[in-house]
Amino acid sequence: MNHRIRWWTYLLLGLAVFACLFPLYWMFVVASTDSATARQMPPEILPGGNFFHLAGLVFATVPFLRSIVNSLIVAGTIGIGHAVLCSLAGFAFAKLRFPGRNVLFLIVVLTMTVPTQLGVIPQYMIISSLNWVDTLQALIVPGLASAFGIFWMRQHIGATISDEILQAARIDGATTWQIFWRIAFPLVRPAAFVLGLLGFVTAWNDFLWPFIVLKSPEMYTTQIAIKALQNSFDIDLGLAMSGSFLATLPLLVLFVFVGRRMVAGIMDGAFKG
Amino acid sequence: MTTTLSTSRAASTPPAVPTRVRQSIRERVAPYAYVAPFFLIFAVFGLVPLLFTFYVALFDWNPIGERVFIGLDNFTRLLDDARFWNAAWNTISIWLLSTVPQLLLALGLAHLLNQARLRLAVFFRMSMLVPYITSVAATAIVFAQMFDRDYGLLNWMLGLVGVEPIDFKQSVWGSHLLIAAMVTWRWFGYTTLLYLASLQAIPRSLYEAAAVDGAGGWKQFRHISIPSLRPVIVFTIVTSTIGGLQIFTEPLLISRVSAVTCGPVRQCQTLTLFLYEQGFGQFQFGYGAAIGVALFLLIIVMATINYVLSTRTRSERS
C-alpha cells in the first residue's frame, strides 16, 4: 500500500478513464459525419466536418432551443428549490427543538427507500386533475425537495454550525427565520450549492416523467427532444447523435467549472467508516 | 440511485435553538413550516399516488370511460399473461447483469484510487463522474450505435478477431447485455467515488501495520478494505436494486421502431416499460397499476433478500 505505485495501476485507471470518456467522443464523431460515412466499414474514427450542418438540422427539426430553455427552467428551479427547501428542513432537524422531530426525521429517512416512480399512473391522474398536463410546473413541483437532500443538509448543518453561535443570536433577539437566513444558511452555502447541482443534473437528465407529462413540442425538455429526433427522421443517426451531444454539452461545460466540487461533495456525503 | 448516506455525525447532538420557551405561536410553528414543503410534496406526488396505485389496480379503469370494480381480476389476469412473466424475467436479468459487474468494478477501481501518492488523482475522479452527468437518453442512443449489428464499432472490432457480427438489439441476451452495459457505464464511476470516500476514512496506519506483518496487497484489501466498506456496499446494493428494477429509458431508446415493447418479440421489455405500454399506450390504467403493484412487491422482496444476504455475510465473516 505504502510502496511505489506499480505501472499497471495507471494502465487500469487509464483504461477506466478511456471507457468513461470514449462514448462521448464517439457521440461527437457520429454527430459530425454524414450518414454515408457513419455507415462505412471500417468506421471512421475521427470527427468529420459536418457537425454544424447537423446541429442546424437539429434546431430546424424540433424546437431545440426552446427545449434547452425549458430544461434550464425546470432544472434550475429544482436546483434552487433543493438548495433552499432542503437547507430549511435540514436546519430544523439539526438545530431546532420541536415535538415530533425524531419521528418526522425517521419518516424522511424511510421515504428514501420508497420507489415512488411506480405510482406514475395516479401521479398522472393528479397532475391531470390539477390541469398541469403539458406544463413545466408538472415537472418542477414534484422535484423541489427530496428526502436525500434533507438528510444531506442536516448532516452538513450539524457538522459545520456550532450551537453557541445560534444561541448567541437567539439571546440577541433574532427570530428563527433570521437565525436560519442570516447565520446558518450562509455558513452551509457550499454544501447547499453541491446539493443544488446534484438536483440540477438529475432534473436535467430525467426522462420517464417528462415523457409521460409533456405532449406538445414547445414544452419538450432536451431529453424528450432527443427522443423526438430519434423518431422524426427515418434513419438519420447523425441527427439523433447531434441532438444527444447538444443536450449533453451544457452539462459538460458546467462540469468543467464545478466538477471538482461535485466530486468532493459526493465523496463528502458518502459513508465514512 | 442518486442517494448517498453519511454516518450520523450530527445525529445525537442536542438541538441548539430552543423554540418552545416563552415564544410566540409564530416561532413555535416555524420548525414545522420549515419541514412542511417536503412532506407536502412527498405526500401529494409520492405517497398518495403509490397507495392509490393499489386502489386503481382493483378496477377496470379507463381514463375516459367508466371505472368498474373488478377485485383481483387484474392480478389473476397478470399471472396468466406471458408478457408479464417475460417482462419480469427481463427486468431481473438486466438488473443482475448491470449491478454485479458495476459493484465489482467500483470496488477494484476504488482500491486503485485509494493509493497514497497517486498522481492525477483529481483527473481520475472527475473523469469517472462524466458518465453520471451524461443523460440516459444520450447514453442509450450512442450505445445503441456502438453495438449496432451492421455499422457498430464493437462488431467491427469483433470482426477483426474473426467473430461473426452479433445482433445485440434483436437477441434476448444481446439486448440485455447492451442495456446492462449502459447502466454499468453510467453508474460505476459514481459508485467508485462512494467506495473511495469510505476507503479514505480508514487510517493509513492500519495498512502500514498489516504490511509490516507481511500482508500483501490482496490480503490488505480483503481483511482491511472490504470489512470497512460493508455499510456502503450494503447501501449501494439496496439502492441499485430499487433503481435497477425500474429501468425504463435505456430499453425504450435502443430500438427506434418498436420502442415500448423493446423489439418485436419483447426481448428487452422491462416491467416499467410494460406498465407504460398498458397504462399510457393502451389506456388500461387498472391493468397498468396492477403491474406497478407487482413491481413494487418484486422490489421489496429483492431489496429484503439483498439486505439480509449482505448483512448475514458480515456476521459470518467477522
Side-chain angles (χ1 to χ4, degrees):
Chain A
M1 204 68 204
N2 207 18
H3 305 294
R4 205 164 52 81
I5 294 172
R6 312 253 168 77
W7 60 271
W8 48 261
T9 299
Y10 288 105
L11 178 74
L12 292 175
L13 288 174
L15 281 175
V17 169
F18 178 78
C20 286
L21 302 183
F22 183 77
L24 285 175
Y25 169 75
W26 191 246
M27 208 186 273
F28 183 72
V29 169
V30 180
S32 62
T33 53
D34 51 84
S35 49
T37 321
R39 300 187 169 274
Q40 85 189 18
M41 276 295 187
E44 183 59 60
I45 54 167
L46 291 175
N50 212 18
F51 178 68
F52 290 102
H53 169 70
L54 279 172
L57 215 53
V58 167
F59 285 93
T61 311
V62 290
F64 199 75
L65 202 62
R66 183 70 196 265
S67 79
I68 289 182
V69 173
N70 288 341
S71 280
L72 282 174
I73 294 172
V74 171
T77 320
I78 287 180
I80 295 168
H82 258 74
V84 175
L85 293 180
C86 296
S87 296
L88 258 176
F91 170 72
F93 283 126
K95 295 294 178 191
L96 301 182
R97 195 178 300 162
F98 56 98
R101 185 178 75 119
N102 293 334
V103 177
L104 288 176
F105 187 68
L106 183 69
I107 295 174
V108 170
V109 173
L110 285 177
T111 61
M112 286 204 271
T113 60
V114 180
T116 50
Q117 260 201 32
L118 302 182
V120 281
I121 290 175
Q123 272 160 14
Y124 182 80
M125 293 172 172
I126 289 171
I127 289 296
S128 165
S129 64
L130 291 168
N131 275 326
W132 282 7
V133 173
D134 207 22
T135 63
L136 295 184
Q137 65 260 37
L139 309 182
I140 294 170
V141 177
L144 279 177
S146 69
F148 161 67
I150 293 176
F151 191 86
W152 165 284
M153 287 318 300
R154 178 180 172 270
Q155 297 302 115
H156 280 279
I157 290 170
T160 15
I161 298 175
S162 77
D163 295 350
E164 286 76 19
I165 295 187
L166 304 182
Q167 274 157 356
R170 176 67 85 203
I171 289 162
D172 287 346
T175 63
T176 310
W177 171 256
Q178 286 167 334
I179 293 177
F180 169 75
W181 192 243
R182 301 260 176 81
I183 300 168
F185 190 66
L187 285 172
V188 288
R189 213 178 275 152
F193 178 73
V194 173
L195 177 68
L197 280 178
L198 293 176
F200 183 92
V201 171
T202 310
W204 182 280
N205 289 333
D206 192 17
F207 186 87
L208 174 61
W209 186 233
F211 185 61
I212 290 174
V213 165
L214 302 177
K215 310 284 176 195
S216 49
E218 316 82 71
M219 284 296 143
Y220 285 173
T221 58
T222 53
Q223 306 308 316
I224 311 304
I226 295 179
K227 169 70 182 150
L229 282 175
Q230 196 202 21
N231 291 338
S232 71
F233 268 32
D234 195 25
I235 308 189
D236 198 343
L237 223 117
L239 189 70
M241 214 66 110
S242 320
S244 305
F245 185 77
L246 288 171
T248 310
L249 203 56
L251 289 195
L252 280 176
V253 172
L254 181 75
F255 191 68
V256 168
F257 291 105
V258 296
R260 253 185 126 110
R261 289 170 77 177
M262 252 171 95
V263 171
I266 286 170
M267 289 184 53
D268 205 27
F271 278 93
K272 299 275 175 67
Chain B
M1 284 176 86
T2 58
T3 44
T4 47
L5 279 178
S6 8
T7 48
S8 38
R9 273 180 288 180
S12 52
T13 35
V17 189
T19 44
R20 280 212 287 175
V21 203
R22 283 191 303 127
Q23 270 158 7
S24 65
I25 294 179
R26 201 189 146 102
E27 285 294 300
R28 247 190 267 174
V29 297
Y32 300 102
Y34 296 172
V35 302
F38 166 76
F39 284 100
L40 211 70
I41 291 169
F42 178 73
V44 176
F45 298 105
L47 191 63
V48 167
L50 195 63
L51 296 176
F52 202 56
T53 296
F54 287 80
Y55 177 75
V56 177
L58 302 175
F59 288 80
D60 185 1
W61 192 310
N62 184 299
I64 4 168
E66 78 280 24
R67 47 209 67 158
V68 185
F69 182 81
I70 53 168
L72 296 175
D73 280 8
N74 278 328
F75 292 99
T76 48
R77 190 178 144 208
L78 203 60
L79 295 179
D80 279 336
D81 193 338
R83 297 173 303 177
F84 168 72
W85 293 108
N86 172 62
W89 161 244
N90 288 343
T91 306
I92 293 174
S93 159
I94 291 168
W95 163 64
L96 281 176
L97 284 171
S98 53
T99 308
V100 178
Q102 181 205 323
L103 300 188
L104 292 178
L105 206 60
L107 215 51
L109 287 171
H111 177 65
L112 292 180
L113 285 172
N114 188 37
Q115 305 182 58
R117 294 201 294 266
L118 182 76
R119 285 162 204 273
L120 300 173
V122 174
F123 167 72
F124 288 131
R125 288 179 199 174
M126 274 183 69
S127 306
M128 302 224 176
L129 210 57
V130 168
Y132 167 78
I133 61 153
T134 309
S135 72
V136 194
T139 306
I141 286 170
V142 70
F143 271 69
Q145 202 279 339
M146 290 197 298
F147 282 69
D148 191 82
R149 186 191 61 188
D150 301 319
Y151 313 110
L153 202 60
L154 193 69
N155 271 321
W156 172 68
M157 291 193 329
L158 289 174
L160 293 182
V161 288
V163 180
E164 286 294 298
I166 301 168
D167 197 346
F168 285 100
K169 289 178 224 172
Q170 300 302 322
S171 64
V172 174
W173 283 108
S175 58
H176 291 193
L177 278 174
L178 168 52
I179 295 165
M182 295 181 217
V183 179
T184 305
W185 182 73
R186 217 164 105 75
W187 289 106
F188 82 89
Y190 186 89
T191 313
T192 302
L193 292 182
L194 295 189
Y195 290 174
L196 178 61
S198 289
L199 284 180
Q200 295 201 328
I202 305 171
R204 296 249 166 227
S205 55
L206 226 55
Y207 289 104
E208 279 154 22
V212 170
D213 290 344
W218 171 247
K219 272 199 164 169
Q220 294 177 18
F221 180 64
R222 256 201 72 189
H223 296 287
I224 304 175
S225 305
I226 296 282
S228 356
L229 280 174
R230 251 172 222 142
V232 69
I233 291 175
V234 172
F235 172 75
T236 51
I237 288 177
V238 171
T239 48
S240 66
T241 309
I242 296 168
L245 290 173
Q246 300 181 64
I247 284 176
F248 175 82
T249 317
E250 293 92 338
L252 179 81
L253 282 167
I254 60 168
S255 82
R256 230 169 12 91
V257 197
S258 41
V260 283
T261 52
C262 193
V265 292
R266 299 171 185 272
Q267 65 268 25
C268 49
Q269 188 182 45
T270 57
L271 281 169
T272 319
L273 261 187
F274 188 41
L275 191 167
Y276 181 85
E277 184 197 9
Q278 294 305 313
F280 298 99
Q282 314 277 331
F283 296 113
Q284 301 198 20
F285 276 6
Y287 198 50
I291 299 167
V293 172
L295 185 48
F296 182 75
L297 296 177
L298 180 72
I299 288 173
I300 300 288
V301 169
M302 288 294 176
T304 313
I305 291 176
N306 275 320
Y307 180 77
V308 170
L309 281 182
S310 43
T311 42
R312 178 161 300 168
T313 40
R314 165 215 220 140
S315 50
E316 274 169 13
R317 280 211 207 147
S318 54

